[in-house]
Amino acid sequence: MSILVVAFYFTIIIPLAGAFVLALGSDKDRRFMASLVMALTFLCALLTVPVVLEHGEIAVSYPMTEWFSLSFVVDGLTVFMAVVSSLVAFVISLYAGEYMAKYSNLKGFYFWMLLFVGSMMGLIHSANLALIYVFWEMTAVASWRLIGFYRGEEDVKAADKAFLVTFFGASFLLAGIAVIFANYGTLELSELQGVAIPTVTALLLFVGIISKSAQLPLQTWLPDAGVAPSPVTALLHAAVLVKIGIYVYARLYLRTFEPSEVFLSTVLTVSVITIIVGAASALVSTNIKRILAYSTISQLGYIMLALALNTETALKVAFIYILAHSLAKAGLFLCAGIVEHETDKKEISMLGGLLKTMPRTGLAYMLCAFSIIGIPPFLGFWPKLMVIILTARAGYIAAAVLAAVGAVFTLFYLLRFFSEVFLGKVRTEAAEGKKSVMVYSVLFLGAVSLLLGLLPNLPFDFLNMVIK
Amino acid sequence: MALNLTMLIFLPIAAGLLSFSLRQAPARKNLGILVLLAALAVAVTSFILTPGRLSIHLLDEFALTFDHNVIAAFIMIFINLFGLLVCIYAGSYGEDKKEFYSCLLILIGAANLTVLAADFLLFAFGWGTMLVLLYALLFRGSHETARKAVSIVGTADFMLLLGIALFVALSGSTLIPADGEGLPIKTPLQFLTFLLLFAGAAGKAGAWPFHPWIPEASTSSSMPVMALLPASLDKLLGIYLLARVCTDIFVLSAAAMGVVLLVGGGTVLFAVMMALVQKDARKLLSYHAVSQVGYMVIGFGTGVPIGFAAGLLHMLNNAIYKTGLFMTAGAAGKEKGTFNIADMGGLARFMPVTFVCALIFSLSISGVPPFNGFVSKWMVYQGAVEGLLDAKGVVLPAIFVIALIAAFFGSALTLASFIKFIHSVFLGQETESEGPAPSEARVGMRYPLIILAALCVIFGVYPALFMDHAVLPWLPEAAISVGEGEWNALLAFILLAAGLLVGLAVVFWGFVRSKIKVSSAYYGGQEASEEINYRATEFYKTLQEISLVRKFYGVIEHKLMDMYRVLTLTLELVGTLLYYLVDRLIDVFTTLAALFVLGVGNGLKKLHTGNLDFYLLWCLLAMVVILFIIAG
């Protein structure tokens, strides 16, 4: 068992080292090796499960300066996030192998992608605010380069926007961290536990969080960032990047500080407005990736809403939501990617009738869409219903009503997407590959969403075991 | 309970999945029949031998609990029975695609799960799963109708979920109350919760305004699909929930009764008016499927035990004859190759069994004794009158009167509509059509019809079968008045049967003893010919010419009452407003902020000229400012 204690280091080291090593090989090697690196990362994340089951929580710290230390923690939150993120990242890397095959010189692509995953893993395990900030900005730089991968004028503009908005948020985060250091003389999360954080400081950190997790009013970078290659969109904007903010929120406000009522009410209000505005914008958008990006904004609102309730039950529900959303939204973005890859079109008015030539992609889309909408027997149903129940039970009736209205919007825009893109008049002859890894990837994500929805005790029991 | 779960939920679902991989249609059908027979047997057994409770823990206060109650167990028998009959029928109808059998079996599993659920989470899970299967079944017929159906029913489902959330907040537990002592509706929150749960039930049952997908689906989907979902399962489950809402979950207040009665009365009248002018047999039946829900809803809206009993009995009766009607229409349509009732006449002589069954179903739905529809409608009236006598104030009694009038008037129009249906399809002159002459429905289609017709008679003559064993033990107050006004079904049956026998004797006597002259038909002294033939489809044309009625049909034609259209337009309007007024506005501010930073940067850049004199000038200015500060 003792050797497994170090497994979490490898979830960080393997992708970070892989990023540099892969820069040496050819594009063909990179495709295979990137998936291998992701698989190993996932495996190492899995190996941390028995550690948490046996020890509950492990903390290691290597002090560097008064305010900075290489402090890491392995607990229920880290295990869950690491397993989910690395699994989705692995599936996306398989998909990317085929998707990116038509582009040359993928050195940068794989470098930044692996660097991003490594930074994400580092951030998940960090137990020092300064260290969190370092990894936070590393993910920002990696996503900046990945969003602007095509280097066209629009791509660079969107990438700059994403970077600048998240950096704007990060500067608030940094200010918050500085205030915390000034007040308490430490940035170690273990030493800050139970501290009643002043509302203003909490809000400073929260601005950083909402910029990363695309909550109102710092959300507009996310739809624009859909110009990126689809694996990037799936990885950054559905499965992993946007969850960073959510995760840091949970780490800071449900595991470290004691937030004030005023702050929690603010978070709740922001999340509910985000749910509705995100869903409403998705309904009127016409670009397939923008629809899904707005959908992400809206769905993250539900997770934030659960966290704003500030209870252990709500925290667990939020994590099941993260799992459901990561799987299904990655699936949806990857489906959109297949459509875009095969047709070179993104506007729904130019698409139609694709179910005839892309039946498996259409099926995978529907599986994932049902999960996002929150229809049983898909996984997304459980956390969505629980969030609404918990919100109502906490006495926030208006918020519960708006969350349900958001779900109706979701039903309408995802059905509209399916009808416009996969049904109706055939506008293009483009077809999916018969033995396409991309298609199998999306089918896998859809099937897992269904399977875990049918057997909800699996994810819930796992969560109950690791988060006590 | 473990056996129940295995046989009633997992077995049908597993068989549904297996069915998808079977290549031959008969194998799929036989598998379905076998599994549903087994499920039916277990459902009957579990009704007699009450199984225990089972709970699966999920998270803190959230658990999935299976339990058993008498009304659910009885409904489960009919879920599996209807599933079985549709399964037998579908094979002969030609609906033998693997998706159909898979969906049917999984649907039955999900429906069984829904009624076995003792907590809201599990209930919502089974309930919502049926939505996906509805989409899958309708999708095969028409994509657009499937989208419409899922949008409407899905919206109702989310209303139900919100209602569940609010009820859990009110009661503090996720368990569905089962003690028959519902919460009183006093506060606005309780009223809202009631409305949401009611909307969920009405949405599933297909009451107005959640109905528009049903008539559309009838023309695009096959008759087995219609017989399975809108005719039977949706009604069984929707009304089952309504029954729980009106007894176990809430005690209806005057306002709640008013809403339920108005929706019920509105549904009866609106749908029957629509049915009256339909030219397609499937659409005609669909509107009646909607209209009949109104009676059940009125029953529950009365707030008295006999009304609840009426609602439940009518649910069961309606499921029996409506499934039968869709099946007869399917059989007739299959023979004629059309569902346009103007082109279907004279089928009775070719399909006598189907005709007799259709007649029994038609008389049942029209509320003619001694068939089952009459008994439950009678009880609805009885409940409404009782409720009216109990009602206080002015508004509620007025609503009771409106609902009663709607129910009576609706019943008359239903009879009128089915006279048209029976006459056009089975009587009258045979219409010419290409292809072979029509013949009696195949065995696989005939037997389900005969079983359902027999049930119409059995439940008409002996309604106590359902009342005594399922409804009365479940009702909070079992004291349903027996005495004045109580319908004595057996006596009525004997009298009617005697009347029928006397009538037959007279006819027989006339035929045997007298010489009957058979001559051609005349209209106004002129021999009836094809040109002046007055078709049954034209029976109620004059009705449409009444000004008020014409306006009603005009509104319908423009889809102003189509919930899907209204919902879509509302969401798009709200969506557009929020998108431009919030999202885009924020984006404009983001861009302006970026431009501001750029502008400041560029401005400052211009100050860096590289000219020494310029820098010295700045220094001088700064010194002056400092001087002023120090001095001042």
Side-chain angles (χ1 to χ4, degrees):
Chain A
M1 183 56 75
S2 60
I3 197 149
L4 292 181
V5 173
V6 296
F8 85 90
Y9 285 119
F10 289 97
T11 62
I12 307 167
I13 294 166
I14 290 174
L16 286 182
F20 291 95
V21 172
L22 255 64
L24 304 172
S26 68
D27 278 352
K28 198 179 169 187
D29 298 335
R30 283 188 197 108
R31 280 204 288 274
F32 170 73
M33 290 300 287
S35 296
L36 186 69
V37 168
M38 296 292 194
L40 286 173
T41 309
F42 173 57
L43 198 68
C44 291
L46 278 181
L47 289 176
T48 61
V49 176
V51 178
V52 171
L53 290 181
E54 186 171 327
H55 301 284
E57 182 182 318
I58 290 175
V60 285
S61 185
Y62 305 99
M64 310 287 278
T65 66
E66 191 185 352
W67 50 272
F68 185 75
S69 67
L70 292 175
S71 297
F72 296 101
V73 64
V74 182
D75 64 3
L77 299 194
T78 65
V79 164
F80 198 85
M81 278 303 286
V83 169
V84 174
S85 309
S86 57
L87 170 67
V88 178
F90 169 59
V91 176
I92 292 171
S93 72
L94 290 175
Y95 177 99
E98 186 178 333
Y99 187 95
M100 301 304 290
K102 65 178 178 183
Y103 303 103
S104 57
N105 198 13
L106 296 173
K107 189 163 43 176
F109 175 80
Y110 282 110
F111 174 79
W112 291 113
M113 191 166 154
L114 292 178
L115 192 79
F116 173 81
V117 174
S119 312
M120 169 86 183
M121 291 295 155
L123 189 143
I124 288 172
H125 293 100
S126 295
N128 175 289
L129 279 171
L131 189 61
I132 286 177
Y133 183 77
V134 170
F135 283 123
W136 181 282
E137 288 299 45
M138 279 171 71
T139 60
V141 174
S143 48
W144 173 49
R145 298 302 293 161
L146 284 168
I147 293 167
F149 174 77
Y150 292 128
R151 304 289 183 265
E153 194 183 336
E154 283 298 308
D155 311 314
V156 171
K157 214 168 154 184
D160 287 351
K161 186 173 182 177
F163 183 73
L164 289 172
V165 172
T166 50
F167 182 76
F168 172 78
S171 58
F172 279 82
L173 179 74
L174 190 62
I177 292 172
V179 172
I180 288 169
F181 185 71
N183 285 342
Y184 308 106
T186 179
L187 293 180
E188 289 296 309
L189 294 183
S190 56
E191 291 169 22
L192 290 164
Q193 263 182 6
V195 165
I197 187 169
T199 305
V200 177
T201 315
L203 285 173
L204 283 173
L205 300 176
F206 185 63
V207 174
I209 288 166
I210 59 170
S211 72
K212 207 69 147 184
S213 285
Q215 300 287 286
L216 259 72
L218 299 178
Q219 85 290 9
T220 56
W221 66 270
L222 191 72
D224 289 0
V227 295
S230 288
V232 171
T233 338
L235 184 69
L236 270 56
H237 309 135
V240 188
L241 174 70
V242 288
K243 304 288 186 334
I244 289 177
I246 301 283
Y247 171 78
V248 169
Y249 181 96
R251 172 65 62 200
L252 295 185
Y253 298 113
L254 282 123
R255 283 286 177 272
T256 310
F257 300 113
E258 295 275 340
S260 67
E261 283 299 318
V262 177
F263 171 70
L264 290 174
S265 304
T266 311
V267 177
L268 190 119
T269 311
V270 167
S271 64
V272 172
I273 294 172
T274 304
I275 289 173
I276 290 294
V277 174
S281 304
L283 189 74
V284 293
S285 296
T286 54
N287 177 302
I288 54 175
K289 280 187 162 177
R290 285 185 79 87
I291 293 172
L292 296 180
Y294 278 118
S295 172
T296 298
I297 292 170
S298 172
Q299 296 303 311
L300 291 171
Y302 284 94
I303 304 174
M304 201 56 103
L305 174 62
L307 293 175
L309 300 175
N310 208 37
T311 64
E312 275 302 300
T313 310
L315 170 72
K316 288 179 184 173
V317 170
F319 270 66
I320 294 293
Y321 210 122
I322 288 175
L323 169 68
H325 183 254
S326 299
L327 291 169
K329 190 50 70 67
L332 288 183
F333 267 114
L334 296 183
C335 283
I338 296 175
V339 170
E340 190 195 348
H341 189 261
E342 305 301 342
T343 64
D344 279 329
K345 293 183 176 78
K346 286 186 190 175
E347 284 295 317
I348 52 173
S349 58
M350 298 168 83
L351 294 160
L354 286 178
L355 197 65
K356 284 196 174 69
T357 50
M358 300 185 178
R360 290 174 299 163
T361 310
L363 173 69
Y365 173 88
M366 260 345 266
L367 294 178
C368 295
F370 279 134
S371 188
I372 294 288
I373 297 166
I375 295 177
F378 298 88
L379 181 60
F381 161 75
W382 298 105
K384 188 165 277 183
L385 176 59
M386 287 176 181
V387 168
I388 298 175
I389 287 179
L390 290 172
T391 308
R393 276 193 75 165
Y396 301 109
I397 303 300
V401 172
L402 288 173
V405 173
V408 175
F409 267 108
T410 313
L411 171 73
F412 273 74
Y413 69 71
L414 286 180
L415 276 182
R416 170 174 158 259
F417 184 116
F418 184 68
S419 294
E420 305 267 341
V421 173
F422 289 100
L423 307 177
K425 196 177 160 192
V426 179
R427 293 177 198 276
T428 166
E429 294 299 317
E432 65 192 10
K434 279 193 177 159
K435 289 183 181 173
S436 166
V437 177
M438 296 199 291
V439 177
Y440 288 123
S441 308
V442 291
L443 279 172
F444 171 77
L445 292 168
V448 174
S449 297
L450 174 61
L451 197 69
L452 293 181
L454 286 169
L455 301 167
N457 50 328
L458 289 183
F460 279 106
D461 285 350
F462 176 63
L463 199 65
N464 285 328
M465 276 195 302
V466 295
I467 303 180
K468 291 196 175 74
Chain B
M1 185 50 92
L3 175 75
N4 273 28
L5 298 187
T6 312
M7 296 300 286
L8 292 166
I9 301 170
F10 300 121
L11 188 66
I13 292 173
L17 297 175
L18 177 67
S19 179
F20 201 76
S21 60
L22 293 177
R23 289 190 174 181
Q24 291 183 333
R28 291 195 284 269
K29 178 183 161 183
N30 293 338
L31 175 71
I33 292 173
L34 206 66
V35 166
L36 291 173
L37 265 175
L40 181 61
V42 173
V44 173
T45 321
S46 75
F47 182 70
I48 301 162
L49 308 167
T50 307
R53 198 181 175 96
L54 187 95
S55 196
I56 301 166
H57 178 253
L58 272 191
L59 175 71
D60 300 338
E61 68 260 45
F62 297 116
L64 307 177
T65 312
F66 296 90
D67 203 354
H68 174 277
N69 69 62
V70 64
I71 194 77
F74 205 81
I75 285 174
M76 212 153 54
I77 293 175
F78 283 90
I79 288 173
N80 294 289
L81 177 67
F82 287 125
L84 178 65
L85 293 179
V86 171
C87 191
I88 295 169
Y89 178 88
S92 302
Y93 185 85
E95 175 63 281
D96 52 8
K97 299 281 184 298
K98 55 187 177 184
E99 308 92 55
F100 175 77
Y101 283 111
S102 291
C103 286
L104 183 146
L105 288 166
I106 299 171
L107 199 56
I108 298 293
N112 286 334
L113 186 150
T114 310
V115 290
L116 275 172
D119 73 87
F120 281 116
L121 252 72
L122 192 61
F123 181 85
F125 179 74
W127 185 273
T129 301
M130 294 179 68
L131 182 70
V132 177
L133 295 159
L134 171 76
Y135 187 70
L137 279 171
L138 297 184
F139 189 80
R140 300 158 63 245
S142 157
H143 300 158
E144 201 43 47
T145 306
R147 179 183 175 188
K148 188 171 183 173
V150 170
S151 301
I152 293 174
V153 184
T155 303
D157 282 5
F158 279 117
M159 291 169 92
L160 174 70
L161 292 191
L162 180 60
I164 286 174
L166 298 185
F167 185 76
V168 173
L170 286 171
S171 70
S173 166
T174 55
L175 286 176
I176 305 173
D179 53 6
E181 291 173 16
L183 269 178
I185 303 174
K186 287 177 182 165
T187 64
L189 180 61
Q190 286 167 339
F191 188 60
L192 174 67
T193 309
F194 165 77
L195 285 182
L196 290 165
L197 293 175
F198 173 57
K204 181 70 93 193
W208 178 87
F210 298 98
H211 68 282
W213 65 273
I214 301 174
E216 283 188 27
S218 71
T219 52
S220 59
S221 297
S222 69
M223 285 299 108
V225 171
M226 294 306 288
L228 182 69
L229 274 168
S232 54
L233 289 193
D234 282 353
K235 299 285 177 289
L236 286 174
L237 288 167
I239 300 302
Y240 167 67
L241 174 62
L242 187 59
R244 301 291 302 263
V245 170
C246 293
T247 53
D248 288 335
I249 298 176
F250 282 114
V251 176
L252 299 194
S253 63
M257 277 188 213
V259 171
V260 177
L261 286 171
L262 283 177
V263 170
T267 304
V268 169
L269 264 191
F270 164 81
V272 85
M273 291 289 285
M274 290 305 296
L276 216 53
V277 295
Q278 297 308 314
K279 292 178 176 132
D280 186 298
R282 300 166 297 185
K283 275 194 159 182
L284 182 143
L285 294 181
S286 303
Y287 276 112
H288 281 295
V290 176
S291 169
Q292 293 300 305
V293 180
Y295 286 95
M296 305 166 211
V297 174
I298 290 176
F300 287 103
T302 59
V304 293
I306 193 159
F308 298 157
L312 278 172
L313 186 59
H314 200 65
M315 164 200 73
L316 181 65
N317 289 338
N318 172 68
I320 295 169
Y321 56 65
K322 190 47 58 63
T323 306
L325 279 168
F326 274 114
M327 286 180 171
T328 47
K334 200 169 168 57
E335 289 305 313
K336 289 298 284 185
T338 176
F339 286 96
N340 188 347
I341 52 179
D343 301 328
M344 290 176 90
L347 281 175
R349 73 191 71 164
F350 302 105
M351 310 175 82
V353 176
T354 311
F355 165 62
V356 171
C357 292
L359 189 63
I360 291 175
F361 299 139
S362 299
L363 293 174
S364 297
I365 195 174
S366 306
V368 176
F371 301 106
N372 60 352
F374 174 77
V375 183
S376 43
K377 278 188 183 175
W378 178 268
M379 285 167 64
V380 170
Y381 304 145
Q382 208 180 341
V385 171
E386 239 177 67
L388 173 63
L389 296 176
D390 291 348
K392 292 181 178 67
V394 181
V395 180
L396 188 61
I399 293 175
F400 262 107
V401 171
I402 292 169
L404 253 175
I405 293 171
F408 281 130
F409 195 53
S411 205
L413 291 180
T414 305
L415 182 62
S417 178
F418 275 93
I419 287 174
K420 172 176 137 179
F421 174 74
I422 286 288
H423 192 280
S424 313
V425 177
F426 292 100
L427 304 176
Q429 291 181 356
E430 191 199 345
T431 51
E432 286 183 13
S433 59
E434 290 175 7
S439 61
E440 183 56 272
R442 290 166 64 183
V443 179
M445 293 162 89
R446 215 156 56 215
Y447 281 115
L449 288 177
I450 294 170
I451 292 170
L452 290 169
L455 285 175
C456 281
V457 179
I458 291 168
F459 278 98
V461 176
Y462 191 51
L465 192 67
F466 180 63
M467 298 296 291
D468 291 353
H469 296 101
V471 178
L472 295 183
W474 169 75
L475 274 178
E477 292 172 55
I480 290 184
S481 62
V482 179
E484 277 183 77
E486 176 78 0
W487 171 250
N488 191 333
L490 195 62
L491 178 67
F493 176 71
I494 293 167
L495 289 175
L496 283 161
L500 194 67
L501 282 175
V502 171
L504 283 174
V506 170
V507 172
F508 182 72
W509 187 263
F511 269 105
V512 172
R513 284 303 184 90
S514 333
K515 286 190 175 174
I516 293 171
K517 185 185 167 190
V518 178
S519 69
S520 308
Y522 285 87
Y523 292 140
Q526 203 176 1
E527 195 170 338
S529 64
E530 188 60 30
E531 291 78 49
I532 59 164
N533 196 4
Y534 188 63
R535 288 181 179 279
T537 42
E538 313 289 318
F539 275 5
Y540 310 114
K541 214 171 175 183
T542 44
L543 189 74
Q544 294 174 62
E545 285 156 18
I546 300 169
S547 154
L548 196 68
V549 179
R550 199 168 57 227
K551 278 185 186 150
F552 167 77
Y553 288 119
V555 167
I556 302 300
E557 203 174 319
H558 291 97
K559 297 199 168 182
L560 293 176
M561 285 169 79
D562 185 334
M563 188 188 179
Y564 177 64
R565 196 173 135 90
V566 173
L567 257 177
T568 311
L569 288 176
T570 310
L571 290 178
E572 277 176 4
L573 180 70
V574 174
T576 310
L577 285 175
L578 287 176
Y579 178 64
Y580 287 106
L581 294 181
V582 182
D583 183 80
R584 288 299 88 196
L585 197 64
I586 291 172
D587 197 46
V588 168
F589 277 117
T590 312
T591 313
L592 285 178
L595 289 176
F596 174 73
V597 173
L598 275 176
V600 171
N602 283 333
L604 289 174
K605 203 165 96 182
K606 281 179 186 158
L607 296 179
H608 290 276
T609 57
N611 186 335
L612 185 63
D613 299 341
F614 194 66
Y615 289 119
L616 283 174
L617 184 69
W618 274 109
C619 291
L620 199 66
L621 275 173
M623 282 168 73
V624 170
V625 171
I626 291 166
L627 212 67
F628 266 104
I629 290 169
I630 293 169

